[in-house]
Amino acid sequence: MAKYLVTSALPYANGPIHFGHVAGAYLPADVYVRYLRMSGHDVLYVCGTDEYGVAITLKAEQEGVEYGPYLDRWHQEIKALFDQFKIEFDIFSGTARCPYHQETAQTFFKNLLDCGLVNDRVERQWYSEESGRFLPDRYLTGTCPECGHTEARGDECPSCGTWIDASALGNPTSLIDGSKPVLKETRHWYLDLPRIQAEGLGGWYANEDENHPHKKWKPNVDGHVKAMLKDLRERPITRDLPWGVPLPEGVTDESGKVLYVWFDAPIGYISQTMEWAEKQGDVEQWRDWWQNPDCRLVHFIGKDNISFHAIVFPAMLLGQKDSWNGKELNLPWSIPAHEFYNLQGRKFSTSSGWYLDNKSFFEKYSADAARFHLMLTSPETSDSEFTWEGFQTTNNSLLADKLGNFAIRVIKFAAKRFENKVPDSNGSCDDDPSLKQADVSFASIGGYIENNEYRKAAQALLAACDSLNQYFDNHAPWKLIKSDSEDDQAKCASIIERCIAYLDLLSRRMSPFCPTAAANLRQMIGQAASDEADIWGDESASSAPARVAAGAELGEAEVMFPKIDDDQIAAEIERLLASDIA
Ligand SMILES: [Zn+2]
């Protein structure tokens, strides 16, 4: 059994998250974690909100709200959506609320400085004399030097997407007070990525051993890494801001310097591991996840986060050398980066009204159907999208008609014909091509999940249900039961026993995707359910589920996936179009 530390990108506590985020960095991680746990691995799943940075301070200031309450609001709202999706972290904290974060981030900075991997220099940045503060990044608006767009930001042009050197911005204006800023000297610190590349990162990526972690990474990550390594430059890691992790004491006498949010945020994975470990009674346990070379570090992210998780954070980890008690920190073992997930042909956008109302969605539809649909349409190799019609099809034609239908017809048949008990099997219908086909499909699911191929895993589950329905249809137990032949009667009993045995297996294989429905299914098979609800179990295609003891009492048939009718879907689409203000 292996040890896994799984992380999902820290969502920015600056607004709501939507299904697109969930499909990218959170739900696949939750499915992966549930599967690993059922397979007996030791897993820790860490996430929390990213709570520093200009985007937060600026918006809180514009709303006239203090940073703390502003962050709490979004932290809670984001957590609520994860809860609705049944995404279960071992810890969900935040970079400003985690008691270990500030010190850990400062130590990271200090270690890099001590190892000669951080340089400082004085440069000129825009400063508002009216407000008496520097205006980093989005605090500044002006004309884009590339395209002439007049509302470009200090860090990026929203029109042409160019990264902007703030000193090149035309007609710069302070966004907080409308004043014309002046250039003023200020000292900043830079992460020396070229040097870290020369001292280790380059070699790590040049390792062509087939077993080296990066050799298995997806093409979207691999391509990005190769392009970046060709032209690595220093990156600023400090800012003049009133909100952030202050520079460690003794580094400078100048006040108002904080760590740049991109630098402190990924350290949140470590500080929140410490917070989790403290809650387990021993904070030092964090080392077993970050310094144990046998622990596999897996980062689930969206594609916009690849450079930080594949290059910058590994550089920060490598640059720590053996500063943490003489031991190095682990580098990522896997980086499943997902593409974007859209809504009915366009990007999700809360501000332009193109989104799903999370609260009303879960009042009407089940988390399991949403989870399964998002995984079946997972943006794992290319951009993908949520459509209401697609969701209806998944729920009605796939989950209800294939999976739910098989369960209900078996349980109802047993209730009516076998006194709601498992009938005695003579094994006469064990050997069957449809069941063999189901075995093959069931046996492939785990491997697909491990490989981050969630679409294939979901499809395999449905294929197994197809095979099971075929088995039922081909043998037509409803005819056999009415036959005068004892042979036919025995056959009928054998078929139903097999179906119940496979329902037990089905409940476990569907569990990472649809945990609630899986538990319902186990209730439906009552005493016939094995004791192994949380155990993935034998995965070889050549082994069929064990014989279920005759006479075991079954539960009650229950609709797991209520159908969604056409009118309801039409109303949802109408509502979406009506809320669109773009
Ligand atoms: Zn532009």
Side-chain angles (χ1 to χ4, degrees):
M1 293 299 109
K3 202 172 172 78
Y4 291 83
L5 174 60
V6 179
T7 71
S8 283
L10 305 185
Y12 215 38
N14 193 37
I17 61 164
H18 50 62
F19 279 41
H21 299 115
V22 169
Y26 306 96
L27 184 55
D30 184 73
V31 170
Y32 183 76
V33 165
R34 285 175 188 269
Y35 160 73
L36 291 178
R37 289 215 162 105
M38 289 180 79
S39 303
H41 298 296
D42 194 10
V43 188
L44 183 65
Y45 184 19
V46 173
C47 192
T49 37
D50 181 354
E51 303 182 323
Y52 291 120
V54 168
I56 285 170
T57 54
L58 186 59
K59 251 178 100 181
E61 285 161 22
Q62 282 168 344
E63 285 184 22
V65 184
E66 302 232 8
Y67 301 144
Y70 180 83
L71 293 170
D72 288 347
R73 184 174 100 213
W74 290 119
H75 178 84
Q76 282 156 17
E77 185 158 334
I78 290 167
K79 182 63 170 52
L81 182 61
F82 290 142
D83 289 345
Q84 281 163 325
F85 263 106
K86 308 264 186 262
I87 291 171
E88 295 176 358
F89 307 105
D90 290 301
I91 181 157
F92 186 80
S93 183
T95 51
R97 68 195 66 237
C98 169
Y100 292 92
H101 187 67
Q102 175 165 322
E103 194 190 330
T104 308
Q106 288 176 332
T107 307
F108 251 74
F109 179 92
K110 199 77 183 7
N111 292 342
L112 291 165
L113 196 66
D114 291 346
C115 293
L117 301 171
V118 167
N119 309 316
D120 69 285
R121 61 175 170 268
V122 173
E123 58 185 40
R124 298 200 309 159
Q125 289 197 353
W126 294 109
Y127 181 85
S128 162
E129 288 182 313
E130 198 166 316
S131 301
R133 61 192 267 188
F134 281 97
L135 302 168
D137 311 321
R138 302 178 190 203
Y139 276 99
L140 211 57
T141 176
T143 308
C144 170
E146 289 293 324
C147 74
H149 180 65
T150 53
E151 284 171 31
R153 301 192 313 234
D155 55 351
E156 192 183 287
C157 172
S159 176
C160 70
T162 309
W163 178 83
I164 293 174
D165 173 5
S167 62
L169 203 65
N171 190 28
T173 307
S174 160
L175 217 54
I176 36 173
D177 52 31
S179 68
K180 293 290 156 201
V182 295
L183 283 168
K184 192 177 166 182
E185 290 197 331
T186 177
R187 180 178 302 278
H188 280 291
W189 283 257
Y190 292 78
L191 182 63
D192 195 341
L193 286 169
R195 184 155 170 200
I196 299 176
Q197 181 177 17
E199 289 186 4
L201 189 65
W204 196 75
Y205 272 115
N207 188 332
E208 292 293 322
D209 180 342
E210 278 312 309
N211 292 319
H212 196 272
H214 79 82
K215 295 295 287 179
K216 297 186 293 287
W217 293 0
K218 292 202 288 188
N220 62 349
V221 177
D222 199 45
H224 204 94
V225 165
K226 289 202 169 98
M228 271 194 82
L229 285 175
K230 280 185 192 144
D231 185 26
L232 264 192
R233 296 177 193 193
E234 284 188 331
R235 270 177 188 259
I237 57 175
T238 54
R239 276 292 182 255
D240 292 298
L241 270 181
W243 179 245
V245 175
L247 259 60
E249 262 179 55
V251 172
T252 176
D253 295 337
E254 298 165 75
S255 61
K257 309 276 179 201
V258 298
L259 297 178
Y260 205 160
V261 63
W262 69 255
F263 179 84
D264 88 78
I267 298 169
Y269 297 138
I270 300 176
S271 51
Q272 290 174 112
T273 305
M274 293 172 176
E275 187 178 350
W276 169 85
E278 185 204 21
K279 287 182 176 151
Q280 310 308 304
D282 177 15
V283 65
E284 286 300 306
Q285 268 188 49
W286 76 271
R287 297 179 187 279
D288 196 29
W289 300 93
W290 285 94
Q291 295 188 308
N292 172 354
D294 292 329
C295 182
R296 298 168 167 180
L297 174 60
V298 182
H299 293 308
F300 280 83
I301 54 170
K303 67 176 166 188
D304 50 342
N305 250 323
I306 294 174
S307 38
F308 285 109
H309 288 80
I311 297 283
V312 181
F313 188 45
M316 290 160 58
L317 292 164
L318 260 178
Q320 299 297 301
K321 305 206 168 159
D322 60 0
S323 311
W324 294 86
N325 267 16
K327 278 190 181 171
E328 293 181 350
L329 297 170
N330 290 347
L331 295 188
W333 180 76
S334 174
I335 306 182
H338 284 76
E339 303 290 307
F340 291 141
Y341 195 70
N342 298 320
L343 171 62
Q344 304 267 158
R346 276 166 48 188
K347 279 187 179 172
F348 276 88
S349 167
T350 312
S351 57
S352 58
W354 199 253
Y355 67 104
L356 303 172
D357 185 280
N358 299 333
K359 191 165 170 282
S360 104
F361 184 96
F362 288 102
E363 279 165 5
K364 287 177 271 184
Y365 311 108
S366 82
D368 280 358
R371 287 172 65 101
F372 193 82
H373 181 64
L374 262 56
M375 290 293 85
L376 192 63
T377 54
S378 162
E380 57 204 33
T381 52
S382 57
D383 288 358
S384 178
E385 64 173 2
F386 179 97
T387 65
W388 277 107
E389 301 89 336
F391 176 62
Q392 183 192 26
T393 303
T394 297
N395 184 78
N396 292 5
S397 311
L398 305 180
L399 289 172
D401 287 351
K402 291 174 190 274
L403 195 159
N405 177 54
F406 176 69
I408 284 174
R409 70 203 294 206
V410 170
I411 300 296
K412 282 196 168 162
F413 191 92
K416 191 169 169 196
R417 300 294 183 179
F418 297 106
E419 298 171 321
N420 211 34
K421 289 185 177 122
V422 178
D424 201 356
S425 169
N426 64 4
S428 56
C429 293
D430 288 5
D431 196 15
D432 181 277
S434 295
L435 292 186
K436 288 220 159 60
Q437 198 54 51
D439 291 338
V440 170
S441 297
F442 277 130
S444 67
I445 296 171
Y448 285 138
I449 296 177
E450 229 164 282
N451 232 3
N452 303 120
E453 295 177 288
Y454 302 96
R455 284 177 178 238
K456 286 186 184 165
Q459 284 160 0
L461 188 77
L462 293 171
C465 294
D466 281 339
S467 301
L468 293 173
N469 278 308
Q470 247 166 39
Y471 177 70
F472 195 90
D473 290 338
N474 288 347
H475 288 288
W478 60 91
K479 284 185 190 156
L480 296 172
I481 195 76
K482 291 179 184 152
S483 161
D484 294 334
S485 135
E486 255 180 49
D487 240 23
D488 284 350
Q489 296 278 342
K491 257 179 132 181
C492 180
S494 301
I495 291 157
I496 298 305
E497 183 278 333
R498 276 298 79 191
C499 289
I500 294 167
Y502 273 91
L503 282 177
D504 179 76
L505 179 62
L506 174 60
S507 77
R508 281 180 282 136
R509 292 295 178 266
M510 68 190 275
S511 183
F513 297 99
C514 307
T516 309
N520 291 347
L521 179 53
R522 297 189 73 74
Q523 279 178 356
M524 283 161 68
I525 51 178
Q527 292 175 354
S530 65
D531 301 332
E532 302 179 330
D534 299 327
I535 294 176
W536 192 254
D538 191 345
E539 186 131 64
S540 74
S542 56
S543 71
R547 177 82 62 226
V548 186
E553 191 89 33
L554 299 170
E556 213 171 297
E558 191 190 316
V559 176
M560 288 184 280
F561 300 98
K563 294 253 176 124
I564 305 168
D565 65 37
D566 293 348
D567 291 350
Q568 207 173 338
I569 290 299
E572 295 289 4
I573 294 171
E574 211 170 294
R575 197 168 304 132
L576 176 66
L577 293 172
S579 71
D580 175 24
I581 51 170

